[in-house]
Amino acid sequence: MTEPLLEARGVTRRFGHVQALRGAAFTAYAGEVVALIGDNGAGKSTLVKTLAGALRPDGGEILLDGRPVHLTDPVDAQRLGIETVYQDLALAHDLDAAANLFLGREPTRFSFLHVLDRGVMQRRAAEAFDELGIRLPDMSAPVRQLSGGQRQCVAVARAVAWASRVVFMDEPTAALGVVQRKQVLDLIRRVRDRGVTVVLISHNMPEVLAVADRVEVLRLGRRVARFTAADTSVEQLVSAMTGGLDQEGAA
Amino acid sequence: MTTTAVSEETTETGRIPALLRSNTVWTLAVLVALFALFAVLKPAEFATTFNIRNVATDSAILLVLAVGMTFVIVTAGIDLSVGSVLVFSGVVAAKTMVALGGTTAGWGGIALGALAGMGSGLGWGLVNGLLVTKARIPPLIATLGSLGVALGLAQVITGGSDVNRIPAKLANAIGYGLVAGVPWLVIIAVLIAVVFGLLLALTRFGRHTYAIGSNAEAARRVGIKVDRHLIKVYALSGLLSGVAGVLSLAHYTTTTIASHTSDNLSAIAAVVIGGASLFGGVGTVAGTVIGVLIPGVLRNGLIILGAQRFWLDVAVGAVLVVAVFFDQLRRRARERR
Ligand SMILES: Nc1ncnc2c1ncn2[C@@H]1O[C@H](COP(=O)(O)OP(=O)(O)OP(=O)(O)O)[C@@H](O)[C@H]1O
Ligand SMILES: [Mg+2]
């Protein structure tokens, strides 16, 4: 393939006694859906947070378009067109869906007073949800009152609405019912077709093979295998995750 | 989860519950009921301009403290130091005014004194904010510390006795003066409530205050400068305590060092009765105004009914607990899970 869009090399990160990432590598190409899989605690969320600027790595390199980047906070990543659906969703539960969609990027009027432009927020939020086929029973209700799946939809909509290059989705379908899950998977394809790279973390192997172009496998904080989805079976993925296969050696 | 098709009619009827869901409407109803009750029981004494003006004046200074406290509580913080900072600021303002002419000081001296007082309040607020954000000390402990230090220093400065030689002009104008029958104290407090109420409800600053109280980590991840924002919020609470210190000086014409030990709890009670959650993310200044007035009206009404003084605290304490209890019930009924 061509030059990678986003690349991580030898990323390390420790939490107290836990070495969550031990020289993890990761590659994403422009306009693809790449799945990042691995067992619980393999370090997937940690790796995504470092690539999204939410967590600073102890060591290693992150490259965008082949150039090293230093992401000191999530805004750095957002400026580069990178958005994230965090596993914990990172929503402000006392605010409504539109407020969450625009959190930190609220349009304002009377420039120096910074009065919120609620009209614009409501309208553009409604458009964003419509586009994704998301219907909320009450747009003015605090997110706390939505179901787990509806909340997940809000988080997905926020990331997709702002991303121009890469969207990380950390288990975006975990709390979803059959219909919503299918909608999110369709959405992932649509986002990819718009030219935005989607990095999908999921424990659902059939789902991964259905939507991803490529699959990268993380085990104990390292990348152990890469696959092209089209010619890979669930058995191969499981074997890579659980230790039966290590393509990249213990270099 | 369901894919509820939202029809026009459900969004229409959604508006009425939204109004009934609002805490403010219910607390306002309680205030009106309380007022009506006393007005019926003691019309000649309670429902008079004179008495209503008294209640409003007595509530004005507490309202200024409670407005700052609303912001702090919405961020899921707490500020126990407001009463001490009020005293400290009052002492600094008084000392400055005494140095600039005492009882006969002109408006220039008064203005400088007031600025010194408000500056001290702002300073204490900044200290609280830095302790909470940079030193990572929990707000309860950080502001408990400044509560002690500010009150102690106020006593060190004054040698333990109140400063009395307050400019007569200040006392006569701001302290007792009326504009069209409304005390200056009330006008200032209402202006502060309106300005900061709008700030909290309508601006980006307000929105970020709610976001931080809802989920500070989420706020951080969308790029809100959480520490800087919290410092501003504690600074605001300190500044308003300083303003309250100057107002108190004008009204009582003395520093009243010993009489503000429970101001912090009164302000917190007002904010909570007004519908704010101590877990953060919820609360409005409109609610806080009502939360200040309910105990104020209750105290005043009970005094007029001839209740023993000790019963006032019993009644106010009970109202706080009952208010929070019903609020919890309504919240639980509303939440789906
Ligand atoms: N903030 C943290 N503090 C301490 N330990 C952490 C923290 N975040 C992650 N860890 C540890 O790092 C390791 C990797 O965690 P991570 O969340 O990245 O796993 P994951 O692959 O996303 O797992 P899952 O599939 O369960 O979401 C785990 O052992 C976890 O306990
Ligand atoms: Mg995870």
Side-chain angles (χ1 to χ4, degrees):
Chain A
M1 258 194 248
T2 50
E3 173 91 338
L5 172 65
L6 182 66
E7 198 177 357
R9 291 183 189 156
V11 176
T12 55
R13 171 73 204 214
R14 164 190 283 280
F15 295 105
H17 296 296
V18 182
Q19 187 73 46
L21 297 178
R22 315 164 183 255
F26 177 74
T27 316
Y29 295 92
E32 69 168 355
V33 177
V34 52
L36 178 61
I37 64 170
D39 229 339
N40 291 124
K44 304 179 298 294
S45 296
T46 307
L47 179 61
V48 163
K49 283 183 197 160
T50 64
L51 294 174
L55 204 62
R56 258 182 264 180
D58 298 330
E61 255 194 319
I62 298 169
L63 301 102
L64 187 72
D65 298 318
R67 279 189 299 277
V69 286
H70 291 278
L71 306 172
T72 52
D73 66 50
V75 181
D76 285 344
Q78 288 165 11
R79 274 200 211 101
L80 297 168
I82 301 169
E83 292 289 330
T84 310
V85 181
Y86 294 97
Q87 192 164 9
D88 62 11
L89 303 185
L91 296 173
H93 293 105
D94 297 301
L95 299 178
D96 65 24
N100 270 287
L101 199 85
F102 282 96
L103 202 60
R105 295 183 260 219
E106 298 86 357
T108 58
R109 293 178 294 165
F110 313 118
S111 54
F112 107 103
L113 290 173
H114 295 302
V115 173
L116 297 172
D117 197 336
R118 283 167 198 267
V120 166
M121 281 196 265
Q122 294 294 345
R123 189 153 30 81
R124 300 216 329 240
E127 282 166 17
F129 291 131
D130 260 3
E131 199 190 333
L132 308 186
I134 297 171
R135 283 182 169 275
L136 300 176
D138 181 359
M139 284 287 287
S140 66
V143 166
R144 183 183 301 290
Q145 290 173 32
L146 301 178
S147 76
Q150 289 165 334
R151 268 181 253 166
Q152 211 153 34
C153 289
V154 173
V156 169
R158 173 171 69 184
V160 170
W162 295 100
S164 62
R165 308 205 69 187
V166 183
V167 187
F168 289 104
M169 296 195 190
D170 198 345
E171 306 195 21
T173 58
L176 298 187
V178 183
V179 180
Q180 240 66 22
R181 176 183 297 260
K182 188 179 165 303
Q183 277 178 357
V184 169
L185 295 184
D186 286 344
L187 168 67
I188 288 174
R189 293 193 190 91
R190 260 185 287 148
V191 172
R192 185 235 353 244
D193 294 343
R194 229 161 61 185
V196 177
T197 298
V198 181
V199 180
L200 172 69
I201 296 181
S202 173
H203 287 289
N204 183 328
M205 292 309 127
E207 173 181 300
V208 162
L209 289 179
V211 75
D213 301 304
R214 288 190 318 108
V215 184
E216 302 212 348
V217 185
L218 214 55
R219 188 169 75 233
L220 302 176
R222 285 196 320 110
R223 178 170 69 191
V224 293
R226 296 197 258 183
F227 299 101
T228 308
D231 40 54
T232 305
S233 66
V234 171
E235 288 69 34
Q236 281 172 296
L237 296 183
V238 171
S239 133
M241 283 196 293
T242 53
L245 172 76
D246 192 341
Q247 296 174 339
E248 313 222 336
Chain B
M1 93 158 263
T2 50
T3 30
T4 347
V6 185
S7 64
E8 288 304 318
E9 81 197 298
T10 47
T11 41
E12 265 318 301
T13 52
R15 269 172 225 288
I16 298 149
L19 188 67
L20 289 181
R21 268 185 320 200
S22 120
N23 293 312
T24 320
V25 173
W26 287 102
T27 35
L28 183 62
V30 171
L31 176 61
V32 169
L34 209 53
F35 193 91
L37 178 72
F38 288 125
V40 168
L41 289 178
K42 287 277 178 181
E45 293 94 334
F46 183 79
T48 63
T49 325
F50 173 77
N51 188 52
I52 291 170
R53 189 187 290 152
N54 268 352
V55 175
T57 312
D58 288 345
S59 305
I61 293 173
L62 178 60
L63 176 59
V64 174
L65 293 179
V67 167
M69 188 69 80
T70 307
F71 278 78
V72 173
I73 286 180
V74 168
T75 67
I78 199 92
D79 186 352
L80 294 182
S81 71
V82 288
S84 295
V85 172
L86 181 160
V87 168
F88 183 93
S89 310
V91 163
V92 170
K95 281 281 180 189
T96 312
M97 292 178 196
V98 167
L100 294 172
T103 43
T104 56
W107 283 114
I110 293 172
L112 278 181
L115 277 181
M118 293 190 282
S120 321
L122 181 66
W124 278 110
L126 285 172
V127 168
N128 284 336
L130 290 171
L131 288 176
V132 169
T133 57
K134 301 301 174 191
R136 307 240 158 265
I137 300 171
L140 192 75
I141 305 302
T143 59
L144 187 59
S146 18
L147 176 155
V149 177
L151 192 58
L153 287 180
Q155 280 161 331
V156 168
I157 294 173
T158 57
S161 50
D162 279 309
V163 184
N164 303 321
R165 294 177 44 240
I166 305 307
K169 280 184 178 166
L170 175 67
N172 292 336
I174 311 286
Y176 311 115
L178 305 179
V179 180
V182 185
W184 262 113
L185 231 48
V186 174
I187 293 178
I188 294 173
V190 167
L191 272 181
I192 287 175
V194 168
V195 167
F196 289 101
L198 292 176
L199 179 74
L200 186 61
L202 298 183
T203 69
R204 188 162 66 188
F205 185 88
R207 176 61 55 85
H208 290 181
T209 306
Y210 286 107
I212 290 171
S214 260
N215 189 343
E217 182 56 30
R220 213 168 270 126
R221 292 206 197 134
V222 294
I224 295 172
K225 303 262 186 294
V226 173
D227 283 0
R228 198 191 295 175
H229 195 94
L230 284 175
I231 292 173
K232 285 183 195 165
V233 165
Y234 282 92
L236 172 65
S237 179
L239 174 66
L240 290 180
S241 305
V243 172
V246 176
L247 295 181
S248 163
L249 198 60
H251 189 60
Y252 298 106
T253 64
T254 172
T255 45
T256 58
I257 295 177
S259 17
H260 295 276
T261 43
S262 63
D263 281 10
N264 50 9
L265 298 185
S266 305
I268 293 166
V271 175
V272 171
I273 291 174
S277 158
L278 288 175
F279 297 109
V282 182
T284 61
V285 172
T288 296
V289 172
I290 300 167
V292 167
L293 288 177
I294 287 178
V297 167
L298 192 61
R299 267 174 196 285
N300 176 271
L302 288 176
I303 290 174
I304 288 175
L305 285 181
Q308 246 189 345
R309 288 215 156 259
F310 316 113
W311 284 105
L312 303 185
D313 291 332
V314 174
V316 172
V319 164
L320 174 66
V321 173
V322 169
V324 174
F325 176 70
F326 278 108
D327 189 43
Q328 287 298 329
L329 280 190
R330 259 181 307 125
R331 271 175 224 262
R332 241 174 283 154
R334 225 162 52 192
E335 245 143 69
R336 290 234 221 115
R337 330 173 311 128

